[in-house]
Amino acid sequence: MSLLAGDEYLDADEIMNRVRKALPVIKARASEVEANRRLPPDFVEMLRSTGVFRMNMPSSWGGPEMTSSQQVRIIEEIATADASAAWCAMIGTDSGIYSGFLDEDVAQRLFPRLDMITAGWVFPAGRAERVPGGYRLSGRWRFGSGCTHADWIVAGCTVYVDGEVQLTSDGKPEWRILVASPNDYEIIDTWHTTGLRGSGSCDYATEGLFVPEEHSFSFYEPKRSGPINARADAVLRKMSGVPLGAARAAIDYARTVAAERIDAGRGPAARFWTTLSRCEMELGAARAYVYESLDRQWERLSHGEQLTTEERIAVSLSRYHAFRIGRAVVARLCDLVGGASVYTERTPLERYLRDLTTACQHAVAQDENLEFAGELMLGGHPDAPFL
């Protein structure tokens, strides 16, 4: 193990300790973050100092190379204080994943420090015209979560050669992700939303930007071995922490409200008991499904084994389920608390609900995931690169 210049070694336990110490600050500034519609610079540096953005950095660089479950626990913890901060932390840690798809010398030049932040949309929304030495990049991408504070921004593209779509050996359009500086893009402030308002998930665009070949990669061509880079879905594995953490915080808050109302003789105690028990049960089951499926996946990949169909399905469905159950739990708690849940200055419940409503619009929480899993279950080959 050799640490990158200026970095200190932080293991998973120390990162968790630092995150927990930062939670009161994150929670206290949640309203400010939401009003700002992006993470303030000093807030970003506070998060960076916890080590959260290095979670996927390889042990050969002195990084913690954390398991999927360890990463979900970190994001889950942050989400109990603020979902937008957790969302940005979850996205920003992709730096270590992307580094494993680049040539080693290139990766170390792009990521000279362990705590660097990457943002961007990896699906092929842009155009990369192949030219000598690299690509001419053009396009506009949505949902650039964290692009307002990132060190690098990635852009998913379809590759063109002489104006024609480049096809792979299996006849599909070539999909490539290009890496460039935030200064090379126009950041377009489109982020006026229902929830996750503090994530700064703006659009970004560029036209005719030259990107060297070595600053591009394909999820189908890993340059580093190990569970993190064995499958493209590594960028999605830690996402479940956001709904699990936000729903956990909502339950904890509602328990306090329920206890106060029961003590004061306001409201039917049985309804509070039943609703809170149901929420605990559903969240606990969803959480167990996430961690069991991720631990099984990590074990398989650590031994260089292929996942079974059932294991692939479980990782995808458990993530989908976590988002949907997280939102359902918070909605049920809002109903339980009643009219008081709508006041932004009196309760965090309305923000939890808005945040998870927006989070559930992400591709991982859409019903097409059920279609993909069902097709795979019955012997098909769904067009789903992260399944």
Side-chain angles (χ1 to χ4, degrees), residues 13-35:
D13 289 340
E14 177 59 22
I15 292 172
M16 178 62 90
N17 288 337
R18 292 187 178 199
V19 164
R20 285 175 173 158
K21 288 178 181 178
L23 289 182
V25 176
I26 296 172
K27 188 172 184 178
R29 297 185 66 180
S31 295
E32 173 198 348
V33 167
E34 177 166 82

Side-chain angles (χ1 to χ4, degrees), residues 45-366:
E45 294 313 308
M46 179 269 295
L47 267 185
R48 199 193 298 265
S49 70
T50 67
V52 65
F53 295 115
R54 68 172 64 186
M55 292 197 295
N56 283 294
M57 286 297 184
S59 57
S60 60
W61 289 10
E65 202 167 331
M66 290 166 62
T67 69
S68 301
S69 287
Q70 288 173 326
Q71 294 182 47
V72 173
R73 287 188 178 92
I74 294 285
I75 300 303
E76 189 177 10
E77 199 79 12
I78 298 172
T80 63
D82 181 47
S84 288
W87 193 268
C88 287
M90 178 269 296
I91 295 288
T93 191
D94 286 339
S95 298
I97 299 173
Y98 298 150
S99 73
F101 291 95
L102 298 163
D103 288 335
E104 182 69 11
D105 60 331
V106 175
Q108 292 205 22
R109 286 201 306 272
L110 291 180
F111 302 104
R113 301 181 308 281
L114 293 175
D115 296 307
M116 296 187 71
I117 301 167
T118 305
W121 181 260
V122 296
F123 288 99
R127 178 186 182 113
E129 183 78 32
R130 196 184 298 277
V131 296
Y135 303 91
R136 288 290 175 189
L137 173 63
S138 298
R140 177 168 174 163
W141 296 262
R142 299 184 301 160
F143 305 121
S145 303
C147 67
T148 56
H149 61 255
D151 298 302
W152 293 106
I153 295 180
V154 299
C157 299
T158 299
V159 176
Y160 286 75
V161 177
D162 296 328
E164 300 291 332
V165 175
Q166 178 79 0
L167 300 179
T168 60
S169 58
D170 58 0
K172 296 180 179 179
E174 183 179 349
W175 170 30
R176 206 154 184 85
I177 297 96
L178 278 58
V179 185
S181 166
N183 295 328
D184 291 325
Y185 296 97
E186 176 190 4
I187 306 299
I188 306 165
D189 190 0
T190 54
W191 199 240
H192 298 270
T193 58
T194 302
L196 293 178
R197 291 178 181 173
S199 65
S201 304
C202 300
D203 288 12
Y204 58 102
T206 193
E207 186 67 35
L209 173 67
F210 176 74
V211 178
E213 171 72 33
E214 61 266 26
H215 290 189
S216 72
F217 64 90
S218 166
F219 281 129
Y220 302 115
E221 300 169 358
K223 302 298 177 66
R224 186 183 296 146
S225 60
I228 289 177
N229 293 103
R231 293 178 57 81
D233 76 318
V235 297
L236 307 181
R237 294 175 199 166
K238 60 262 195 302
M239 293 187 72
S240 299
V242 176
L244 293 178
R248 174 74 268 157
I251 292 175
D252 291 345
Y253 172 80
R255 287 176 65 170
T256 300
V257 172
E260 292 173 349
R261 290 190 181 180
I262 291 172
D263 288 345
R266 294 187 293 115
R271 179 167 174 253
F272 287 117
W273 298 334
T274 301
T275 301
L276 288 170
S277 294
R278 179 173 288 112
C279 289
E280 285 283 4
M281 174 183 66
E282 292 181 353
L283 182 63
R287 190 173 186 271
Y289 191 19
V290 166
Y291 283 107
E292 191 279 332
S293 63
L294 287 176
D295 286 343
R296 182 59 176 158
Q297 180 196 52
W298 190 269
E299 180 183 9
R300 283 279 200 179
L301 297 180
S302 294
H303 290 90
E305 300 171 354
Q306 294 294 316
L307 301 181
T308 66
T309 295
E310 289 71 22
E311 288 162 348
R312 291 169 61 188
I313 289 170
V315 170
S316 177
L317 291 186
S318 65
R319 183 168 50 240
Y320 167 92
H321 189 56
F323 274 80
R324 292 304 186 100
I325 286 295
R327 181 177 65 180
V329 162
V330 175
R332 187 177 296 118
L333 293 172
C334 285
D335 289 342
L336 178 68
V337 172
S341 68
V342 305
Y343 292 99
T344 58
E345 299 302 320
R346 299 183 192 176
T347 171
L349 277 181
E350 64 85 30
R351 187 172 70 243
Y352 297 146
L353 182 59
R354 288 188 290 102
D355 285 341
L356 292 191
T357 295
T358 296
C360 280
Q361 304 317 305
H362 192 282
V364 300
Q366 296 298 296

